[in-house]
Amino acid sequence: RTGSFLQFTNNRHAAGNRLLMVRDISRLRQLEQMRQDFVANASHELRTPLTVLQGYLETFADLSDALPERLRKGVDLMLAQTKRMANLVNDLLLLTRLDSIDKPVDAKPVDMNVLLNSILTDARALASEKGHRFELHLDSPVALLGVENELRSAFSNLIYNAVNYTPADGEIVVRWRHDAQGGYLSVTDNGVGIDQKHLPRLTERFYRVDISRSSSTGGTGLGLAIVKHVLMHHGARLDIDSQLRRGSTFTCCFPANLLQTDASESADD
Ligand code: ADP
C-alpha cells in the first residue's frame, strides 16, 4: 500500500512537472515571438527616417564644395554613420525573418558561377582600394537549390569580412567545389586571423574579437550570425579554420541533395 501510495504521489509529481514544462515552453515561445516581433517592428519603423536622413545628407555631401570645412567634415561623418545604422537595421530585419521560418520557402536553383561573379564585381571596388587580389576557383557548373538573396547575403558577408580583416595587399581566394557528399563554398584570406578561443562564440550576434578594429570596418557585428542562420536554413553548416596572424578559411558546407549538376538536371527531365 505504501508502495502504491508513493507511486501515486510520484506520478502526480511527474504529471505536475510535465504540465509545468508544457506551460513553460509555451510561455517561452510566446516571449520569443514577442521579442522577434519587437525587433522586426522597431527595425521596420527605423527604416523610413533613416532613408530620409540618408537622402538629405547625400544631397549635402554633393554640395560639399559650398559648405564651410567644419560642416563638410560633419556631413561626411553623419552620412557614414547613417549608412552604418541603415545596414544594422537591414541586418536585424533579415535575422528576425530567418529566425521566424524553419526552411527556405522559395528555394530555386541558384547558379553559383553567376552569383559569385556578381558578388565579386561589387567587392572588387573595395578590395582594390586596399590593394587585395581576388582569385575565384569554380568546379564545373552547378546550381545550388536555395534562396538566392539569402545566399548572396551569407557569401557577401564572408567575402567582405575577408577584405576588411586583411591588411593591405592581401590575397583572397573564393572557391566552389563539390563531391558526392556535398558542395563547399570557401573564402580564404591571409589576414589577421582569429585566436582559437574566440571560435566557439564567433557566430553569436554582436560578438566581436577586437571591438576597436571591428568598428573601423563599419561592420554591424551581425554578419556571421546571418551566415549561420542562412546556412541552418539550408540544412548546411559553417566550418571555421583560422590561425592568428596567418589568416582564415570560412567554409559553407551544403548537403548533396541541394546540388543540381548538369547530370542530375537531365536525369530529372
Ligand atoms: P563584424 O560586423 O564585426 O565584421 P561579423 O559577425 O561579420 O561582425 O564578424 C564577427 C567578428 O569575427 C568580427 O568582429 C571579427 O573580429 C571576426 N572576423 C570575421 N571574419 C574574419 C576574418 N576573415 N578574419 C579575421 N577575423 C574575422
Side-chain angles (χ1 to χ4, degrees), residues 161-162 165 189 192-194 202 207-210 213-214 217 219-225 248 250:
N161 275 351
Y165 297 106
D189 63 60
V192 296
I194 305 155
L202 213 60
Y207 187 82
R208 276 146 160 189
V209 173
D210 176 346
R213 193 173 57 204
S214 306
T217 65
T220 62
L222 293 174
L224 290 180
S248 316
F250 289 77

Side-chain angles (χ1 to χ4, degrees), residues 20-81:
L20 215 81
M21 258 177 67
V22 171
R23 271 208 207 119
D24 262 352
I25 287 169
S26 70
R27 179 79 187 130
L28 276 178
R29 283 226 178 99
Q30 210 182 348
L31 285 173
E32 176 59 19
Q33 189 59 49
M34 280 166 69
R35 184 189 67 83
Q36 279 177 17
D37 290 349
F38 174 77
V39 179
N41 291 337
S43 314
H44 197 76
E45 290 301 319
L46 283 168
R47 255 186 167 178
T48 315
L50 279 172
T51 313
V52 175
L53 269 176
Q54 192 171 327
Y56 274 102
L57 286 168
E58 271 164 0
T59 312
F60 288 146
D62 285 345
L63 301 170
S64 70
D65 285 348
L67 298 175
E69 174 71 14
R70 267 181 64 198
L71 214 56
R72 205 182 302 162
K73 272 194 188 147
V75 167
D76 287 347
L77 206 69
M78 283 191 282
L79 185 56
Q81 292 300 329

Side-chain angles (χ1 to χ4, degrees), residues 10-259:
N10 274 347
N11 278 347
R12 263 173 63 108
H13 198 66
N17 270 348
R18 227 174 289 141
L19 216 102
L20 215 81
M21 258 177 67
V22 171
R23 271 208 207 119
D24 262 352
I25 287 169
S26 70
R27 179 79 187 130
L28 276 178
R29 283 226 178 99
Q30 210 182 348
L31 285 173
E32 176 59 19
Q33 189 59 49
M34 280 166 69
R35 184 189 67 83
Q36 279 177 17
D37 290 349
F38 174 77
V39 179
N41 291 337
S43 314
H44 197 76
E45 290 301 319
L46 283 168
R47 255 186 167 178
T48 315
L50 279 172
T51 313
V52 175
L53 269 176
Q54 192 171 327
Y56 274 102
L57 286 168
E58 271 164 0
T59 312
F60 288 146
D62 285 345
L63 301 170
S64 70
D65 285 348
L67 298 175
E69 174 71 14
R70 267 181 64 198
L71 214 56
R72 205 182 302 162
K73 272 194 188 147
V75 167
D76 287 347
L77 206 69
M78 283 191 282
L79 185 56
Q81 292 300 329
T82 309
K83 282 183 181 164
R84 190 160 170 222
M85 220 190 313
N87 285 341
L88 182 61
V89 164
N90 284 335
D91 280 0
L92 278 172
L93 267 175
L94 177 60
L95 259 181
T96 32
R97 210 172 50 75
L98 287 168
D99 258 352
S100 61
I101 31 178
D102 295 335
K103 284 200 162 75
V105 265
D106 47 0
K108 293 192 179 82
V110 177
D111 185 325
M112 292 298 277
N113 189 3
V114 173
L115 178 60
L116 290 171
N117 270 302
S118 107
I119 297 173
L120 285 181
T121 304
D122 294 338
R124 272 201 176 96
L126 182 64
S128 64
E129 271 175 34
K130 294 188 77 181
H132 293 332
R133 218 164 52 84
F134 267 129
E135 265 180 44
L136 174 62
H137 299 279
L138 279 159
D139 244 11
S140 60
V142 67
L144 185 68
L145 206 58
V147 184
E148 182 171 348
N149 61 350
E150 288 184 15
L151 294 171
R152 179 183 289 276
S153 288
F155 301 160
S156 302
N157 272 310
L158 293 180
I159 292 169
Y160 280 96
N161 275 351
V163 172
N164 285 327
Y165 297 106
T166 300
D169 302 322
E171 270 192 29
I172 297 162
V173 181
V174 179
R175 191 183 300 271
W176 166 252
R177 64 184 179 85
H178 54 89
D179 59 24
Q181 273 74 49
Y184 313 90
L185 184 277
S186 62
V187 180
T188 303
D189 63 60
N190 60 350
V192 296
I194 305 155
D195 195 318
Q196 299 298 306
K197 71 173 185 230
H198 294 292
L199 296 186
R201 297 195 58 197
L202 213 60
T203 55
E204 283 176 21
R205 287 160 208 219
F206 298 114
Y207 187 82
R208 276 146 160 189
V209 173
D210 176 346
I211 291 161
S212 57
R213 193 173 57 204
S214 306
S215 56
S216 69
T217 65
T220 62
L222 293 174
L224 290 180
I226 288 176
V227 174
K228 184 177 117 179
H229 276 78
V230 167
L231 294 187
M232 272 165 45
H233 211 199
H234 286 78
R237 66 160 207 279
L238 179 68
D239 280 354
I240 309 173
D241 183 17
S242 188
Q243 267 189 296
L244 206 54
R245 289 181 285 278
R246 290 269 171 95
S248 316
T249 297
F250 289 77
T251 307
C252 308
C253 309
F254 294 93
N257 63 344
L258 297 188
L259 299 180

